[in-house]
Amino acid sequence: MAGTAGTPGTPRVLRAMNDRAALDLLLEHGPLSRTRIGKLTGLSKPTASQLLARLEAAGLVRVTGTSEGRPGPNAQLYAVNPGAAHAAGLDVTPHRIRAAVADVTGRTVGEYELPTPGRRPARPVVQQVTDALDGAVKAAGLARSDVHRLVIGTPGAFDPNTGRLRYASHLPGWHSPSLLDELAAALPMPVEYENDVNLVAIAEQRLGAARGHGDFVLLWNQEGMGAALVLGGRLHRGWTGGAGEVGFLPVPGTPLVRQVTKANSGGYQELAGSQAVPKLARELGVTDMPAGPYTDVAATLLARAADHAGGPHRELLRTYATRLATGLASLVSVLDPELVVLSGSALTAGGEVLRALVQAELEELAAARPRLVVGDVTEHPVLRGALESALATTRDEVFDTSR
């Protein structure tokens, strides 16, 4: 009896597997010749030619030029067709929504930023989301219907059991129990929602310091503190989506914060959050205090401290490293990860100097000894993670030639 389209081992499925392998190689290496694709996939020249013809007819690859500088006739070079699909991402904070659209190769083709000031949103959240998305879509020269999938990153997390946003009381307008239904009705593409720090971890795992690591913790410190937990190569989100909300963690050195979700703070946030850095600097005698939002002030102070060999600036860095390690010790003692990635402006500003100080402190405070690294994805990491997440699912769907 002949196999069906979805039966493993049938010619159609085997062809689809070869197609996907070739597409992944083109994404990784860029334009390749038929001969090179054949060598990398182990396919014969005739089979590689049939594969490329099939993918070209499906609109998934295109000829981009010819090879030069070799004996004999120039060979045609093939690349993934960027216009085969598009995906979008949104990075939502209380102050703005940053949106971007990427083609299927991962290249960002349109960006837009929508300010959302004030504690009460002037426009409904659904309109904010559609306006931000439409701005990026317009910048890309596309229509909203051209977007295959959208991933929205927010502080906190939407509870998978109730659909309500938790752990983010500071995000105005996002707590309606009907919000997800309203967004689904307003948007023509599938929409996924993910915690912002989890998206940073996705970006680091696919593009940055955590590539090749299946078990790691990402510690984030910018507007707030958070962590992402990747175990066995997969994000661990917890029962209510709140895994990694380490800002609420009670730690030595600060009074207990009760009713933490109402206060939108906790012991670790009070001890080592960005807002604690300016106060700590003043207590240690730092006099050249910069002006601006506390996140920018903290990053500037820590960057300056990393450049000083001594004095109150270096003491600021040492004390802050101890505070960071205090909370981090609890995480690594329970999870025993192979790697900890430090990300967010308050951590990346201190660079290698801060990383080394935290590493030394952590080795004194915890039995586990993970390696600490500074994150590599520093330009809009939440948005980059949203795009990577949306692209991964989009490619699985668009590159599936078995159907």
Side-chain angles (χ1 to χ4, degrees), residues 4-8 10-20 23 54-55 58 60 396-403:
T4 62
T7 303
T10 61
R12 178 177 293 183
V13 172
L14 292 174
R15 282 197 300 269
M17 292 172 62
N18 288 334
D19 291 347
R20 181 59 193 265
L23 289 164
R54 188 165 61 246
L55 293 180
L60 296 176
D396 285 344
E397 295 171 350
V398 174
F399 289 173
D400 184 359
T401 59
S402 67
R403 293 172 293 183

Side-chain angles (χ1 to χ4, degrees), residues 94-368:
H95 311 294
R96 52 105 186 112
I97 299 178
R98 184 177 287 128
V101 175
D103 64 34
V104 77
T105 70
R107 182 174 66 94
T108 299
V109 294
E111 294 181 271
Y112 185 77
E113 185 168 315
L114 176 72
T116 56
R119 295 186 177 181
R120 293 185 179 180
R123 286 175 283 183
V125 165
V126 173
Q127 186 180 347
Q128 291 180 12
V129 168
T130 55
D131 286 352
L133 176 62
D134 287 345
V137 166
K138 182 179 179 181
L142 302 170
R144 192 191 293 181
S145 58
D146 293 323
V147 176
H148 194 89
R149 181 170 295 269
L150 170 65
V151 171
I152 299 176
T154 67
F158 284 93
D159 190 323
N161 306 297
T162 66
R164 299 193 67 164
L165 184 65
R166 301 188 65 185
Y167 316 107
S169 59
H170 61 301
L171 194 63
W174 283 77
H175 299 88
S176 167
S178 62
L179 177 60
L180 298 189
D181 291 335
E182 293 171 10
L183 285 168
L187 296 167
M189 74 291 292
V191 184
E192 298 175 12
Y193 304 87
E194 185 59 88
N195 171 261
D196 52 2
V197 183
N198 283 348
L199 291 176
V200 179
I202 288 173
E204 290 290 351
Q205 188 178 34
R206 295 183 180 168
L207 305 172
R211 291 186 71 173
H213 292 274
D215 291 87
F216 69 93
V217 168
L218 182 135
L219 182 66
W220 170 267
N221 193 6
Q222 197 156 293
E223 287 88 358
M225 294 199 75
L229 318 176
V230 178
L231 308 174
R234 300 173 64 89
L235 279 167
H236 176 70
R237 296 178 176 85
W239 173 245
T240 64
E245 292 290 342
V246 295
F248 300 131
L249 189 70
V251 293
T254 59
L256 283 175
V257 178
R258 300 186 183 275
Q259 296 184 321
V260 291
T261 55
K262 291 184 179 180
N264 199 46
S265 188
Y268 198 22
Q269 179 70 44
E270 295 296 321
L271 184 70
S274 293
Q275 83 286 354
V277 175
K279 179 181 177 182
L280 178 60
R282 286 189 291 267
E283 291 174 351
L284 293 172
V286 175
T287 57
D288 53 337
M289 295 291 293
Y294 71 87
T295 52
D296 295 343
V297 171
T300 300
L301 286 169
L302 293 169
R304 288 178 183 173
D307 290 334
H308 282 70
H313 287 90
R314 181 47 62 95
E315 187 59 28
L316 168 64
L317 211 62
R318 291 195 188 96
T319 304
Y320 187 59
T322 300
R323 292 187 175 196
L324 288 170
T326 299
L328 199 51
S330 296
L331 280 177
V332 303
S333 295
V334 173
L335 297 173
D336 189 23
E338 59 176 318
L339 186 75
V340 174
V341 180
L342 304 178
S343 188
S345 59
L347 301 181
T348 58
E352 175 60 23
V353 180
L354 178 61
R355 184 214 64 80
L357 289 170
V358 177
Q359 179 87 66
E361 284 290 271
L362 190 60
E363 291 179 358
E364 295 287 332
L365 297 174

